[in-house]
Amino acid sequence: GAVVSQHPSRVICKSGTSVKIECRSLDFQATTMFWYRQFPKQSLMLMATSNEGSKATYEQGVEKDKFLINHASLTLSTLTVTSAHPEDSSFYICSARVWLEMNTEAFFGQGTRLTVV
Amino acid sequence: QKEVEQDPGPLSVPEGAIVSLNCTYSNSAFQYFMWYRQYSRKGPELLMYTYSSGNKEDGRFTAQVDKSSKYISLFIRDSQPSDSATYLCAMNPPGAQKLVFGQGTRLTINP
């Protein structure tokens, strides 16, 4: 299957600082990538849809100015958590869509565990 | 009512048992159905996908879709401890970018 690489896998930062998470499609071009947040023992919560060369589309309730998404190339999307606070601590996962038999299937990165102290 | 309902478990079975995981959905527009496996602290991994009613088999895994009942299942035969993970169902209508996920079922296979 397609490979999506997410980096870093784990990060600890101080409250008030910003953290950037990278998501790369390694063997294909992804015009659309998705960013999810996952709390312990819960399902994935879609934060935003990232389209290459245009502004991201955020889900209701997600702060655009806090979670900055950039999709400058067909193989890279980044999520920056600005002025992070402890409540932003979570597991963040990206995914990219690949066409498979008339539908696009999602392949996920390994996830980034963010801890804000 | 959620669009996709999935029992979160936890589900614990002995090694070698047949496991049945299920999801129900309310949106008849959903046409594509996926099952993902997620190990602890990892991203989800696509296991199987199907876009028609009936069964699709891949090794020890069988995905079943019943569109008339809006019900999908994943069966795992000869379950192994390495199958212990959270299993998420996901689906979307044709042309939609976003997937709708179930809550995920935590499965433990006991040696």
Side-chain angles (χ1 to χ4, degrees):
Chain A
V3 178
V4 175
S5 177
Q6 187 173 341
H7 178 80
S9 59
R10 184 179 299 182
V11 59
I12 301 173
C13 71
K14 290 185 178 180
S15 186
T17 61
S18 295
V19 174
K20 179 185 283 189
I21 302 170
E22 293 188 347
C23 181
R24 295 181 184 272
S25 55
L26 295 187
D27 50 1
F28 66 100
Q29 293 182 330
T31 55
T32 303
M33 289 187 176
F34 301 84
W35 287 95
Y36 294 86
R37 185 173 180 175
Q38 188 176 34
F39 292 102
K41 299 181 181 179
Q42 294 191 25
S43 191
L44 304 169
M45 183 191 79
L46 181 65
M47 298 174 67
T49 302
S50 167
N51 294 295
E52 185 267 337
S54 63
K55 290 183 179 180
T57 301
Y58 290 81
E59 295 299 301
Q60 190 173 9
V62 178
E63 299 178 59
K64 301 178 183 181
D65 295 331
K66 181 165 191 62
F67 299 100
L68 300 179
I69 292 173
N70 183 281
H71 194 158
S73 77
L74 289 171
T75 59
L76 174 64
S77 177
T78 61
L79 167 68
T80 301
V81 183
T82 63
S83 186
H85 291 284
E87 58 265 29
D88 298 323
S89 298
S90 189
F91 193 55
Y92 293 87
I93 312 173
C94 69
S95 77
R97 305 298 292 273
V98 176
W99 279 99
L100 288 173
E101 293 189 42
M102 303 170 58
N103 188 32
T104 54
E105 310 308 331
F107 292 91
F108 288 84
Q110 305 95 316
T112 297
R113 181 160 302 282
L114 170 64
T115 303
V116 184
V117 297
Chain B
Q1 182 187 9
K2 293 180 181 178
E3 281 192 290
V4 179
E5 297 275 1
Q6 183 177 9
D7 187 340
L11 180 63
S12 181
V13 301
E15 183 176 357
I18 296 175
V19 177
S20 172
L21 304 167
N22 312 295
C23 289
T24 58
Y25 62 96
S26 57
N27 188 345
S28 59
F30 288 144
Q31 296 290 325
Y32 302 103
F33 306 92
M34 280 70 72
W35 284 97
Y36 291 86
R37 177 176 63 196
Q38 185 178 23
Y39 291 113
S40 182
R41 300 188 179 91
K42 300 290 185 183
E45 168 195 12
L46 179 65
L47 271 180
M48 298 188 71
Y49 66 93
T50 182
Y51 55 88
S52 59
S53 284
N55 295 348
K56 182 176 182 180
E57 191 173 316
D58 183 2
R60 296 185 294 111
F61 298 90
T62 300
Q64 188 175 81
V65 174
D66 182 347
K67 290 185 178 179
S68 62
S69 301
K70 299 189 181 66
Y71 188 90
I72 68 170
S73 300
L74 177 71
F75 298 97
I76 307 174
R77 292 185 300 280
D78 187 24
S79 56
Q80 307 292 312
S82 59
D83 296 327
S84 299
T86 295
Y87 290 80
L88 297 136
C89 63
M91 51 198 77
N92 66 319
Q97 284 192 324
K98 296 186 287 187
L99 291 176
V100 180
F101 284 90
Q103 189 175 349
T105 300
R106 286 192 295 128
L107 172 67
T108 301
I109 308 297
N110 301 304

